[in-house]
Amino acid sequence: MKSGIMNILKLLVLMIVLLSCKNENIPATVVATVETLCINSITGSSAMGGGEIISDGGNAISTRGICWDTIEDPTIGGAKSLDSLGLDKFTSQLSGLTGGTTYYVRAFATNNGGIAYGNNEIFATLFVPLITTNDATEVTNTSATSGGVITKSFGAQIIAKGVCWSQNLNPSLEDSKTSDGPGDDLFSSLITGLLPGTAYHVRSYVTTSDGDTGYGDDKIFITQSFDSIVYTEVIRDIQFEKGFALTPLDPAIVQQGGGFEKTFLDTLDFGKDGSHPVWILAQWNSKYDLAHTPPTEGIDGSIEYANEGKKIALFPNHSLWLEVDASKEYDSPRLNGQSWPHLLISQNFHDESPNVGEADRLDFSMEIKLEKCENKMTTRTYNSSIHTAQTPFYFMLVNNNKNSADYHQRIWFGLPSFDFRYPILRYNETVLWDIGTSTFIYGVPETKIWGNVSLHDGNWHTTHIDIKPLIKRALEAMKEHDVFRNTTLEDLIITSMNFGWEVPGTFDAAIRVRGISLKSIKLLR
């Protein structure tokens, strides 16, 4: 009996020893250790970097490379390079950079233990010459004249310049182009081989001896082929000469009081004739009312209305400043489901609402410039899923065909612009549900509107784009959500617009805007 018990005990001890030996052979899940190498070979649009695997953490390296961004501690969720595997040093190229910009770079490596990042390396790209694009002139059926002016060379050796063009926004050297020689003198370019009755985008370009290319602003023109071109400007008072009618703070007051016209609190006239404003300034969900605020004049000639929470100012060049200081609006970081302050400019088009299908083109343009966007939250309290500061532009699309099964159905057609969360513009469309208005929102991919730029850089950015094809795509997308299923472009009208700040987070933010325009164009044959 005792002998049997002893045998069992011996067997248990042997099993424990074997299991212990087996566990000792399982490698621990430890992340790698990686170091970021210094940045070199810096130009205006590229640089070389790299890293070194100091330790693989006892686990095989699955990926390695570098990542970069304009903010500290970049991650692999942004721009990155993937490099060949190994435990030695590796080099990587950073491409697609913006001239005169500070970047942060970190090497990374992944293994079974997770992602490891190296130290931050900081560098600044070289300045690329600045150039402007001339408006197209002498436009015929198949040709036009443009050109450019190099406004600042930053001492770079300019080896080539000219213009490039295509039917898409922001043409590049990959498209058709002229070659107008080296040097920093102003130049004129003849554009040929065009199609009649076609809209083209044109940009000037300049290339340096370092291989960097800078582009001017995007300009649009239409070649001739018809007897005449007739257009109607849909957005009235684009220079803000007639002032703004001011809404209450609570949108429910407007709904219950019979509409905007019956519930206005004041007119902000900027010292001009404000007797018949066509613009509305909405100050939804704010603590601070601009009504009866006296205007003040700045040394730059601007006229502003301001209080603790917001500011609107009109400049002599007809640009408009919109500012929300949400650090005064929130006592603590906003919670999910909590309302947020708005500062929006809007118009209702009434009887002048254009029919989408009847227009040959719907040319939209505007310019914006971010003046500031300061995040007043800590890394612990900031939550990107509910906190941001953004300036979307919306048109209201409505089915106006009384014989259609979709009569009176509507959506917000969104042209996104600045959003704190996205320093790099997105390529994807969005479809969302707006709880406040019980309406779907279709969002155009940002790069289709602005190109491959960053709206965070504090520069003026311009868009000129025919939005009719984008509305066609929105119609297709909404059918997938059981909206506009029986609607054609000929059924749709554009009834209103709004633009400005929505700030569901503790941000102090300001933007300037000018040149807002929507032209409904008919080509008469």
Side-chain angles (χ1 to χ4, degrees), residues 112-126:
N112 288 340
I115 305 171
Y117 291 99
N119 50 295
N120 277 287
E121 288 288 335
I122 307 173
F123 75 99
T125 51
L126 302 180

Side-chain angles (χ1 to χ4, degrees), residues 213-224:
T213 297
Y215 293 96
D217 42 328
D218 183 283
K219 297 292 182 77
I220 192 170
F221 66 95
I222 302 174
T223 53
Q224 296 180 2

Side-chain angles (χ1 to χ4, degrees), residues 18 52 55 190 192 197 205 286 321 351 461 475:
L18 290 174
E52 182 177 6
S55 169
L190 178 63
T192 59
Y205 74 88
S286 172
W321 178 294
D351 294 337
H461 291 280
L475 186 59

Side-chain angles (χ1 to χ4, degrees), residues 150-341:
I150 298 169
T151 57
K152 198 162 188 178
S153 67
F154 297 106
Q157 181 184 356
I158 296 171
I159 62 173
K161 61 182 182 290
V163 299
C164 46
W165 67 92
S166 78
Q167 294 181 41
N168 298 314
L169 181 69
N170 291 331
S172 69
L173 295 183
E174 301 299 317
D175 299 301
S176 301
K177 66 180 185 296
T178 66
S179 297
D180 297 294
D184 59 1
D185 52 320
L186 59 86
F187 60 95
S188 178
S189 306
L190 178 63
I191 304 170
T192 59
L194 307 179
L195 297 174
T198 303
Y200 285 93
H201 293 265
V202 60
R203 285 201 298 176
S204 55
Y205 74 88
V206 56
T207 301
T208 70
S209 57
D210 293 321
D212 295 320
T213 297
Y215 293 96
D217 42 328
D218 183 283
K219 297 292 182 77
I220 192 170
F221 66 95
I222 302 174
T223 53
Q224 296 180 2
S225 77
F226 303 98
D227 293 337
S228 62
I229 299 173
V230 176
Y231 73 86
T232 301
E233 176 58 65
V234 178
I235 298 175
R236 296 161 292 163
D237 189 23
I238 62 175
Q239 295 186 340
F240 311 113
E241 294 283 344
K242 298 180 180 180
F244 290 81
L246 186 67
T247 71
L249 301 179
D250 186 353
I253 294 176
V254 177
Q255 297 169 357
Q256 298 166 7
F260 289 108
E261 289 78 5
K262 296 180 180 180
T263 55
F264 289 143
L265 299 180
D266 194 6
T267 298
L268 310 183
D269 60 14
F270 301 99
K272 303 177 186 294
D273 177 16
S275 58
H276 297 91
V278 297
W279 286 100
I280 298 167
L281 181 66
Q283 50 176 354
W284 308 133
N285 303 317
S286 172
K287 294 180 181 178
Y288 305 99
D289 193 345
L290 275 176
H292 311 299
T293 299
T296 59
E297 184 172 358
I299 59 175
D300 53 9
S302 62
I303 305 293
E304 71 175 48
Y305 297 83
N307 59 26
E308 287 188 69
K310 65 181 73 68
K311 181 175 87 171
I312 179 172
L314 182 62
F315 289 80
N317 66 353
H318 307 292
S319 64
L320 192 72
W321 178 294
L322 296 171
E323 178 174 343
V324 172
D325 292 320
S327 60
K328 302 294 172 50
E329 298 280 2
Y330 295 106
D331 297 322
S332 59
R334 173 182 170 269
L335 302 176
N336 193 21
Q338 182 182 350
S339 61
W340 59 87

